[in-house]
Amino acid sequence: MQTKILLPEAQMPTHWYNVVADMPTPPDPYLGPDGRPVPPEAMAAIFPMSLIEQEVSAERWVAIPEEVREALRLWRPSPLYRAHRLEAALNTPAKIYYKNEAVSPAGSHKPNTAVAQAWFNKQAGIKRLTTETGAGQWGCSLALAGQMFGLEVRVYMVKVSYEQKPYRRSLMQTWGAEVFPSPTEMTGAGRQILAAHADSPGSLGIAISEAVEEAAGREDTNYALGSVLNHVLLHQTIIGEEAKKQLALVGDYPDMVFAPCGGGSNFGGIAFPFFADKAAGKQVRLVAVEPSSCPTLTRGVYAYDWGDAVGLTPLMHMYTLGHDFMPPGIHAGGLRYHGDSALVSKLYNEGLIEAMAVPQLETFEAGVLFARSEGILPAPESCHAIAATVREAQECARTGEPKTLLFNLSGHGHFDMTSYDRYLSGELENFEYPEAAIKESLQHLPKVG
Amino acid sequence: MQTKILLPEAQMPTHWYNVVADMPTPPDPYLGPDGRPVPPEAMAAIFPMSLIEQEVSAERWVAIPEEVREALRLWRPSPLYRAHRLEAALNTPAKIYYKNEAVSPAGSHKPNTAVAQAWFNKQAGIKRLTTETGAGQWGCSLALAGQMFGLEVRVYMVKVSYEQKPYRRSLMQTWGAEVFPSPTEMTGAGRQILAAHADSPGSLGIAISEAVEEAAGREDTNYALGSVLNHVLLHQTIIGEEAKKQLALVGDYPDMVFAPCGGGSNFGGIAFPFFADKAAGKQVRLVAVEPSSCPTLTRGVYAYDWGDAVGLTPLMHMYTLGHDFMPPGIHAGGLRYHGDSALVSKLYNEGLIEAMAVPQLETFEAGVLFARSEGILPAPESCHAIAATVREAQECARTGEPKTLLFNLSGHGHFDMTSYDRYLSGELENFEYPEAAIKESLQHLPKVG
């Protein structure tokens, strides 16, 4: 009874898949504050042209450079698992597979795009990258990638996380990155915040402002983002491409694919390559799973909004809860985002993918069940996909239908043990659906044009 | 350029290799306080007969039960890596390979024996297992294994670690184990200590006493140990067996094999299967790497001594620094042991394997170099093997000799970030060779007979 379906390195995908090529209607352009499309060149202050081209490309296949493939081979192809023990624990006729992205050195899918972004920046002559990080998953991944290609990396880490999650900070430093608690005195944005609130705990919005400001102001420095943007989702499609090859090795194909969805790179990474088949007429359901407390797709509106909290980015057409919506402090930090990828949003708006929201306690219950049956301790973000899969597998147990289910195990939870601690000791609660807060923040959507 | 050499699940070894079959002289028996050999049955109060038989077996091959193999398939065969990037960083003509045992759910090689011990106990009708743990690597592994086979697991965790390493405690609890800070009020040994020292921080010796006392006193409960004993080393030989098959896939064979050595299961696990070839006339050097601050093989004496701190175990013929030697508080907790496996000790005494000691700062320097080149953050224990390999690869760079080097990456350091933190901030020091303390404790060696 085979547990792991391994793909030889020689069969690792050579191209990323660009879902834009198969979308019925093209993505809507990013807009400036004047309501006019932002020209690609306008992004050149912080991104290399190669990545900007990927951002606006409609080509179906984009070649993965050999140096990037060599870096990816440190952990890729990642194994596909058949979850025999989870199936037995659920007593379900469903077949459950999961793609294990926790095997990367940083412990999640994030390095897939970090190494690509680092390499393309290196090729463009860039010496330094700046970025923000909250819990630290993305900062770690970029620190690792920068180290691999000889780029300096500076991470603005939300101050409260910097203090509460010292291990992720140490990991970034071990990989050679500079890490500063944001807000800092090193940028105008940081100084402005500190002048008003000397004891500001920081926020992702502030950290983004600092990282972007520094990158925009220095010739040798660019900025890197860990999700949301088209080129980031593109780099993650290697996950779904590998999963398709691995399922083919055992003669299987999923009826449903589940992934956690915050900014969308995790979901896009595994789901888009299956969307290519769906666009060609194949039956497959693609389900984005979000927290009930930050229900962007299931309760937000489809509108133009800023990608950050303070209006520094272009306007993107996406599902949003409002750029100043402050999600409750759920433990799946990677899913605490007010908006969503424009590509994921468009597909959802056109009814081509599905979305569901799961409450926090159900996600941890599923995560503990998974850890106890499959051994691996999942990241709180990944627990959302597990919970959705468990729901469906239980439904199969009721109906007797032997569906084939696939989910993306986006990362391990080795640095999230305080969340498990709180769950196991009964301290965690489900947050109420934040209706009033969403209603309030949706009133602040920008007027376009 | 291939990075990972993968072995298909179907080629996972079916038998463990017992080095006793190839030793020139048989192992010396365990002795009681009267100096007479301990009969195997005497161990039946805390171990099942199947494991006791393995403990005294001289058979070359011991079959791995199918249920154990099924559990091992959750992470095995583990990948063998060619360390191309580390080689480049060292500018060495040496070829460096490492076996990656960090891929297990608990993050180290320890689950290899934990699942075997849990299964054999289950077969013997045992319902509960007790054990001790210091930093928590072993306790986590047994918690996972107990969960897999439906055994309750109670872990006595050294109190100071219980308080300082809450994440490992949470991990054990997530896998369903009970964890208590030792000394407890639940055992005679614990009560005795607490009566004398109400604020005792605990020690591995005390925790062993509590776990053994409980197991000896309950019919349905046995005790499990994570290293030192022959059957534990036996279960780890799957590491070296796989490594041999993987090297054969790329037509290679090591000149030297390095592994960290505390109790000996890590070293025995990778080195013993190569010893079989050495016994048959093949040239291969097997090197156990220990900390300069706890130099059991390189500075201890070969004598009969107790396996624990207070004299509850039989006497074992081994290299020892004296059972009451208190090693400095180095960060590689898994290597802070006064003695060593009797099998490893005998082979070393007969000049069939080698040993070397490495100071703490050199191990972290090597660990950071490894993390920055290969990506994976190594456990402090593993850093010892890396440091020894780096030394040899640098020697190859000087001589131009293209040696093939293999080391065991026994685990990841995700729960050891405080140690990296202290290293990176310059707070760590090399401990002096504790000559006076060793001299003192060697005077307390038991008189045999």
Side-chain angles (χ1 to χ4, degrees):
Chain A
M1 210 164 63
Q2 194 176 3
T3 299
K4 298 181 297 302
I5 300 136
L6 304 175
L7 200 65
E9 283 184 16
Q11 289 177 44
M12 195 173 80
T14 55
H15 290 72
W16 292 300
Y17 165 71
N18 185 359
V19 73
V20 173
D22 288 314
M23 289 169 72
T25 55
D28 303 309
Y30 299 154
L31 302 183
D34 56 0
R36 276 189 280 185
V38 174
E41 314 79 69
M43 297 187 267
I46 57 169
F47 296 121
M49 277 315 295
S50 47
L51 290 178
I52 295 171
E53 280 160 21
Q54 290 174 16
E55 187 66 23
V56 299
S57 167
E59 290 295 314
R60 180 171 276 105
W61 298 105
V62 178
I64 310 176
E66 178 48 33
E67 291 87 342
V68 174
R69 297 182 73 231
E70 195 196 317
L72 292 173
R73 279 197 290 265
L74 279 178
W75 68 95
R76 306 208 72 86
S78 68
L80 180 77
Y81 276 69
R82 172 80 186 271
H84 292 295
R85 287 171 181 266
L86 179 61
E87 291 171 18
L90 293 168
N91 195 21
T92 179
K95 285 194 278 187
I96 303 176
Y97 293 93
Y98 60 95
K99 185 74 168 156
N100 185 0
E101 292 295 308
V103 298
S104 84
S108 79
H109 66 299
K110 295 276 184 192
N112 294 333
T113 183
V115 295
Q117 291 190 50
W119 186 82
F120 283 110
N121 273 290
K122 176 82 173 178
Q123 294 310 300
I126 290 298
K127 308 279 185 229
R128 300 171 72 251
L129 290 174
T130 63
T131 198
E132 75 291 334
T133 203
Q137 282 272 22
W138 168 243
C140 285
S141 302
L142 197 68
L144 169 69
Q147 181 62 236
M148 282 182 176
F149 294 113
L151 290 171
E152 290 174 35
V153 171
R154 176 172 287 182
V155 182
Y156 292 91
M157 186 172 189
V158 177
K159 190 187 277 172
V160 61
S161 298
Y162 183 93
E163 284 157 6
Q164 285 175 358
K165 304 221 174 190
Y167 291 171
R168 284 231 171 255
R169 169 181 52 72
S170 314
L171 193 51
M172 289 183 254
Q173 288 169 335
T174 303
W175 281 321
E178 290 181 307
V179 190
F180 295 99
S182 164
T184 74
E185 292 282 359
M186 302 183 300
T187 66
R191 286 189 293 271
Q192 186 183 328
I193 298 286
L194 288 171
H197 309 280
D199 56 352
S200 165
S203 76
L204 218 38
I206 296 167
I208 292 176
S209 302
E210 292 205 276
V212 168
E213 179 186 320
E214 183 186 339
R218 287 186 59 158
E219 195 65 32
D220 65 349
T221 302
N222 266 346
Y223 168 74
L225 189 65
S227 190
V228 181
L229 296 178
N230 300 358
H231 69 272
V232 181
L233 273 65
L234 177 77
H235 300 156
Q236 294 293 0
T237 56
I238 192 168
I239 302 172
E241 289 184 70
E242 286 180 3
K244 281 170 70 171
K245 288 189 182 197
Q246 288 163 310
L247 285 165
L249 286 177
V250 291
D252 224 332
Y253 194 88
D255 295 298
M256 299 176 76
V257 179
F258 299 91
C261 193
S265 78
N266 189 335
F267 173 76
I270 195 161
F272 284 177
F274 290 96
F275 182 80
D277 299 340
K278 189 179 170 82
K282 190 138 183 138
Q283 285 289 327
V284 54
R285 293 171 58 191
L286 309 172
V287 185
V289 189
E290 55 187 20
S292 297
S293 54
C294 190
T296 317
L297 293 170
T298 52
R299 304 271 197 156
V301 297
Y302 190 47
Y304 267 98
D305 198 0
W306 287 299
D308 69 331
V310 296
L312 283 183
T313 70
L315 293 164
M316 294 184 281
H317 197 192
M318 62 180 178
Y319 279 85
T320 178
L321 298 166
H323 57 275
D324 58 2
F325 171 68
M326 181 61 71
I330 56 164
H331 287 274
L335 307 180
R336 284 181 81 240
Y337 183 60
H338 70 276
D340 212 320
S341 142
L343 297 178
V344 170
S345 294
K346 190 168 189 73
L347 290 171
Y348 180 64
N349 184 251
E350 295 181 356
L352 298 168
I353 62 170
E354 302 169 45
M356 62 188 284
V358 184
Q360 177 160 267
L361 290 183
E362 183 179 344
T363 67
F364 276 99
E365 187 186 354
V368 170
L369 172 69
F370 183 80
R372 292 185 177 177
S373 51
E374 294 292 312
I376 303 167
L377 186 95
E381 290 82 4
S382 309
C383 291
H384 287 71
I386 299 172
T389 306
V390 164
R391 269 196 204 179
E392 190 67 31
Q394 286 170 331
E395 183 62 21
C396 289
R398 274 189 289 275
T399 62
E401 205 181 349
K403 282 187 184 167
T404 297
L405 311 177
L406 167 67
F407 73 86
N408 197 19
L409 184 75
S410 52
H412 63 61
H414 298 172
F415 296 93
D416 303 290
M417 292 312 302
T418 44
S419 309
Y420 278 92
D421 237 11
R422 296 194 58 202
Y423 170 71
L424 291 171
S425 63
E427 284 172 45
L428 281 197
E429 293 179 1
N430 284 328
F431 291 96
E432 292 292 311
Y433 164 61
E435 185 155 17
I438 293 174
K439 205 166 168 185
E440 167 77 14
S441 65
L442 286 180
Q443 289 177 355
H444 307 155
L445 286 182
K447 303 277 176 295
V448 176
Chain B
M1 212 163 62
Q2 195 175 2
T3 299
K4 299 179 299 301
I5 300 137
L6 304 175
L7 200 64
E9 283 184 15
Q11 288 178 45
M12 194 173 80
T14 56
H15 291 71
W16 291 300
Y17 164 71
N18 185 358
V19 74
V20 174
D22 288 316
M23 287 168 72
T25 55
D28 303 310
Y30 298 154
L31 302 183
D34 57 0
R36 276 189 280 186
V38 174
E41 314 79 68
M43 296 187 269
I46 57 170
F47 295 122
M49 277 314 295
S50 48
L51 290 179
I52 296 171
E53 281 161 20
Q54 291 175 14
E55 187 66 22
V56 298
S57 168
E59 292 294 315
R60 180 171 277 103
W61 298 106
V62 178
I64 310 176
E66 177 49 34
E67 291 87 341
V68 173
R69 297 182 74 231
E70 195 195 318
L72 292 173
R73 279 198 290 266
L74 279 179
W75 68 94
R76 303 207 74 84
S78 69
L80 180 78
Y81 275 70
R82 171 79 185 273
H84 292 295
R85 286 170 182 267
L86 179 61
E87 292 170 18
L90 292 168
N91 196 20
T92 179
K95 285 193 276 186
I96 303 176
Y97 293 93
Y98 60 96
K99 184 74 169 156
N100 184 1
E101 292 295 308
V103 297
S104 84
S108 79
H109 66 299
K110 295 277 183 192
N112 295 332
T113 183
V115 295
Q117 291 190 50
W119 188 83
F120 283 110
N121 273 290
K122 176 84 173 178
Q123 295 309 300
I126 291 297
K127 309 278 185 233
R128 299 172 70 251
L129 289 174
T130 63
T131 198
E132 75 291 335
T133 203
Q137 282 273 21
W138 168 243
C140 285
S141 302
L142 197 68
L144 169 69
Q147 181 62 238
M148 282 182 176
F149 294 115
L151 290 171
E152 290 174 35
V153 172
R154 175 174 288 182
V155 182
Y156 292 90
M157 186 172 189
V158 177
K159 190 186 276 172
V160 60
S161 298
Y162 183 92
E163 284 157 5
Q164 285 175 359
K165 304 222 172 188
Y167 291 170
R168 284 232 172 255
R169 170 180 54 70
S170 315
L171 194 50
M172 290 184 253
Q173 290 169 334
T174 303
W175 281 322
E178 288 181 309
V179 190
F180 295 99
S182 165
T184 73
E185 291 282 358
M186 303 184 299
T187 66
R191 285 188 295 270
Q192 188 184 326
I193 298 286
L194 289 171
H197 309 279
D199 57 351
S200 165
S203 76
L204 219 38
I206 297 166
I208 292 176
S209 303
E210 293 205 274
V212 168
E213 179 186 320
E214 183 186 338
R218 288 186 59 160
E219 196 65 32
D220 65 348
T221 302
N222 267 347
Y223 168 74
L225 190 67
S227 190
V228 181
L229 296 177
N230 300 357
H231 69 272
V232 180
L233 273 64
L234 177 78
H235 300 157
Q236 295 293 358
T237 57
I238 193 168
I239 302 171
E241 290 184 69
E242 285 179 4
K244 281 168 69 172
K245 289 189 182 197
Q246 288 162 312
L247 285 166
L249 286 177
V250 290
D252 223 331
Y253 195 87
D255 295 297
M256 300 179 75
V257 179
F258 300 90
C261 194
S265 78
N266 190 333
F267 173 75
I270 194 160
F272 284 178
F274 290 95
F275 181 79
D277 299 339
K278 189 180 171 82
K282 190 139 184 139
Q283 287 288 328
V284 55
R285 292 171 58 190
L286 309 172
V287 185
V289 190
E290 55 187 20
S292 297
S293 54
C294 190
T296 317
L297 294 170
T298 52
R299 303 272 198 155
V301 297
Y302 190 46
Y304 267 99
D305 198 0
W306 287 299
D308 68 331
V310 295
L312 284 183
T313 70
L315 292 164
M316 293 184 282
H317 197 192
M318 62 181 178
Y319 279 85
T320 177
L321 298 167
H323 57 276
D324 57 2
F325 170 69
M326 182 61 72
I330 56 164
H331 287 275
L335 306 181
R336 285 180 80 240
Y337 183 59
H338 70 276
D340 212 319
S341 145
L343 298 178
V344 170
S345 294
K346 192 170 188 70
L347 290 170
Y348 181 62
N349 184 250
E350 295 180 355
L352 298 168
I353 62 170
E354 302 167 45
M356 63 188 283
V358 184
Q360 177 160 270
L361 289 183
E362 184 179 344
T363 67
F364 276 99
E365 188 186 353
V368 170
L369 173 68
F370 183 80
R372 291 183 178 179
S373 51
E374 294 292 312
I376 302 169
L377 186 95
E381 291 82 3
S382 310
C383 290
H384 287 71
I386 298 171
T389 306
V390 165
R391 270 197 204 178
E392 190 66 32
Q394 285 169 333
E395 184 61 21
C396 289
R398 274 188 289 275
T399 63
E401 206 181 349
K403 283 188 184 167
T404 298
L405 311 176
L406 167 67
F407 73 88
N408 197 21
L409 184 76
S410 51
H412 63 62
H414 298 172
F415 296 94
D416 305 289
M417 292 313 302
T418 45
S419 308
Y420 279 91
D421 237 10
R422 295 194 59 204
Y423 171 71
L424 291 171
S425 62
E427 285 172 45
L428 283 196
E429 291 180 2
N430 284 329
F431 291 95
E432 291 292 310
Y433 164 61
E435 185 155 17
I438 292 174
K439 207 167 169 186
E440 167 78 16
S441 64
L442 286 179
Q443 290 177 354
H444 306 154
L445 285 183
K447 302 278 176 293
V448 176

